[in-house]
Amino acid sequence: METLSKLAEALAAGTTTSQALVESALARIDEPSGEGAHVFRSVYREAALTAARQRQPAQARHRRLAAGGHTGVDQGLVRCRW
């Protein structure tokens, strides 16, 4: 499992996108051998995917991050309300 810092670095480098990270997280939650079913009472799958898609246009955001516009380790990640 990647750390939040590593994921932020990948976003900044343009080697991943917010949508890819959300899809990966959802896949981990769904793993039959994992703890997702025990940890999460509700998963708002479509809302998370929609939020990732509707963030600022992905290409512009990732270019800005790659150009040094990075302001924090969670920039670009979808924040969930629990």
Side-chain angles (χ1 to χ4, degrees):
M1 181 192 310
E2 294 288 334
T3 64
L4 188 57
S5 294
K6 293 290 183 190
L7 296 175
E9 288 173 15
L11 280 171
T15 58
T16 193
T17 64
S18 296
Q19 184 174 343
L21 293 175
V22 169
E23 289 170 351
S24 175
L26 291 171
R28 289 183 56 95
I29 290 169
D30 290 338
E31 284 180 14
S33 62
E35 294 294 317
H38 304 290
V39 175
F40 299 99
R41 286 179 43 171
S42 299
V43 177
Y44 300 97
R45 186 173 318 282
E46 287 307 312
L49 289 169
T50 298
R53 289 184 201 116
Q54 290 181 348
R55 294 299 252 199
Q56 296 176 17
Q59 308 309 15
R61 181 179 190 85
H62 297 145
R63 279 194 301 272
R64 188 172 63 249
L65 287 170
H70 182 67
T71 60
V73 296
D74 66 340
Q75 182 173 344
L77 300 177
V78 175
R79 294 190 178 124
C80 298
R81 294 182 188 179
W82 307 105

